[in-house]
Amino acid sequence: MNLLNMRYFIETTETLNFTKAAKNLNISQQALSTHIAALERELGSELFMRGVPLVITQAGLLFKSYAQKFLNEYSSMMHEMNDIKDERRGTLSLGIAHTRGRILLPEILPLFQRVFPKVDIKITEGRNDEMQKALLEGKLELLICKLPIMAANVKSEFFYQEEAVLMVSDELLEKYFGAQKGTVVKEIERTAGVGPLEKLPFLLPHRGDLMRVVADELIGRAGFIPNIIVESENIETLLEMSVRGLGVTFYPKMFIDYSGFINFPETFHIIPLDTPVASYAMGFCCPKDRYLSFAAREFIRIAKENIHL
C-alpha cells in the first residue's frame, strides 16, 4: 500500500468508473484495475462492487476516509517541509468562482509570482457550494468564498464586503410600466424590494450560485414566484441578455467597479439594493486540520493589501 495506490483509489471513488478514472489519471484502465485489486488483496475486502457504475462497498467507504486523511497529511507535511527549507516552491491549489476569479486574479497573481516564481498555481473554478465540498475533501488548500462557511473543521479570514445590484434595461421597464418606469426605479431604490417587478421576466444563475441565493431571498420576501426565462451558470451571459432587454438579473457591484471593461448603455439601470440580504462578506477559507503553507499565507496577505473594495 502506498500514496499512489491511495490517489488512484480516491479518483476511482469520484468517478465510479474505471475508464474515466484511468483517463483522469493518465494511466491505462488495466493498470488502474491492477492497483485496485492489489489494495483489495492487502485489505482482504472488496472496495467496489463491479458494474456500471461501480458501487463503493462499506469497506471502500471506510478505506476512503483513511486514505483521504493520509493524503491530506502528506500534503501538509510537504508544504511544511518546503517552508522549512525556504525553497519557495510547490503548488498552491486555489478555488474561486470563475467570474470573480477573472476580476481578482489578474490583480493578485502577477504580484504573487514576483515573490514566488517557483510556486505553481492550480486554480479550480466553480460554484460556491461545489468548491466548499472540494475544500472539505482536501482537493483545495485555499478557497475564496462567501462567509460564514458552516463546516466545523474550516477556518476563515475576512477579505472584503461584496454587494449585489439589480440590473434591468430601460427598454424592458418601458414595455411593462410605460411612463411610470421612473417611479418604479425610485421605489426599488427606496425600499430595496423587488415586488414591483413581479410580472417581468427574470434571468437567474443556477441554484448554488451566490447571486441566486440573493435573488431567491429578495424575491421570496416580495412574495411572488418569478417568471424565470433563462438560467445559466455564467452570470456574464445573463448580464449581456439583461443589457439587451431580455429580463431582470442580479450582479455583484464589485464586478462592475473593478473590471473597467464593461460598458453599459446610458439608459441601462443599475439599481443599488440597500438591504443586508444583498450584502455579504467574502473571505479566505482553509481546513483547520491542515497546515497552511507559507505561500498560501502570503497569497492572502498580497490579496488583502492590493484589492481595495
Side-chain angles (χ1 to χ4, degrees):
M1 189 183 303
N2 55 51
L3 292 170
L4 187 62
N5 285 345
M6 292 181 189
R7 289 195 183 100
Y8 288 176
F9 168 76
I10 292 294
E11 181 61 34
T12 306
T13 66
E14 294 296 319
T15 62
L16 294 177
N17 184 291
F18 280 133
T19 301
K20 291 180 181 179
K23 183 178 180 181
N24 292 344
L25 294 165
N26 293 315
I27 62 174
S28 69
Q29 182 177 337
Q30 182 178 358
L32 177 59
S33 297
T34 300
H35 279 281
I36 299 299
L39 279 174
E40 290 177 325
R41 285 196 300 273
E42 183 171 352
L43 294 168
S45 298
E46 286 191 346
L47 300 176
F48 298 99
M49 293 176 60
R50 270 60 171 177
V52 181
L54 295 169
V55 176
I56 189 168
T57 65
Q58 191 65 35
L61 290 171
L62 177 62
F63 180 66
K64 181 180 181 181
S65 67
Y66 279 98
Q68 192 65 70
K69 290 176 185 176
F70 284 132
L71 292 173
N72 288 345
E73 287 295 313
Y74 177 78
S75 176
S76 294
M77 180 192 71
M78 292 306 298
H79 281 310
E80 199 161 357
M81 291 297 294
N82 283 334
D83 285 353
I84 291 171
K85 290 185 292 184
D86 194 28
E87 291 183 353
R88 293 175 178 252
R89 67 177 70 239
T91 301
L92 171 60
S93 54
L94 172 70
I96 190 170
H98 69 90
T99 309
R100 192 169 288 107
R102 197 184 79 171
I103 301 297
L104 296 177
L105 296 184
E107 300 289 332
I108 301 169
L109 289 185
L111 301 172
F112 176 81
Q113 290 187 322
R114 288 176 197 168
V115 185
F116 295 92
K118 295 182 179 180
V119 172
D120 296 327
I121 309 294
K122 182 181 178 182
I123 300 171
T124 300
E125 297 178 302
R127 296 201 314 264
N128 199 62
D129 55 344
E130 294 173 336
M131 290 186 296
Q132 287 188 25
K133 182 174 181 289
L135 183 73
L136 295 173
E137 292 174 347
K139 297 177 181 178
L140 300 174
E141 181 180 10
L142 191 62
L143 172 62
I144 298 176
C145 67
K146 178 180 178 294
L147 300 180
I149 185 169
M150 304 309 295
N153 59 337
V154 172
K155 59 184 177 181
S156 61
E157 181 175 343
F158 177 79
F159 186 10
Y160 67 89
Q161 196 73 16
E162 197 166 277
E163 298 176 3
V165 292
L166 184 73
M167 316 290 272
V168 59
S169 72
D170 194 71
E171 175 187 353
L172 192 66
L173 292 175
E174 176 78 29
K175 178 180 177 180
Y176 281 84
F177 300 108
Q180 297 301 312
K181 62 183 180 180
T183 302
V184 171
V185 171
K186 289 179 181 178
E187 177 66 13
I188 297 172
E189 290 175 341
R190 184 181 68 81
T191 65
V194 299
L197 305 179
E198 177 178 359
K199 295 182 180 180
L200 273 65
F202 280 81
L203 315 167
L204 298 181
H206 290 307
R207 295 192 183 278
D209 185 275
L210 289 183
M211 285 300 97
R212 181 59 180 266
V213 173
V214 171
D216 285 348
E217 179 69 21
L218 289 170
I219 293 169
R221 290 188 175 197
F224 67 88
I225 298 175
N227 173 26
I228 304 173
I229 62 169
V230 176
E231 285 185 286
S232 173
E233 291 185 354
N234 191 328
I235 62 172
E236 291 179 326
T237 299
L238 299 176
L239 176 59
E240 183 63 28
M241 291 180 179
S242 183
V243 169
R244 293 172 181 266
L246 271 70
V248 181
T249 195
F250 299 84
Y251 200 74
K253 182 176 183 292
M254 179 270 289
F255 292 4
I256 303 169
D257 294 343
Y258 217 78
S259 66
F261 54 77
I262 301 176
N263 296 312
F264 298 102
E266 292 184 3
T267 55
F268 190 74
H269 295 276
I270 301 173
I271 305 175
L273 298 166
D274 187 15
T275 171
V277 175
S279 179
Y280 46 88
M282 298 296 300
F284 300 98
C285 297
C286 60
K288 287 182 179 179
D289 58 356
R290 292 186 63 189
Y291 177 77
L292 189 64
S293 67
F294 179 63
R297 299 196 301 272
E298 282 296 284
F299 181 92
I300 294 173
R301 180 188 65 80
I302 290 170
K304 293 179 73 172
E305 288 180 357
N306 291 278
I307 300 295
H308 305 289
L309 300 167

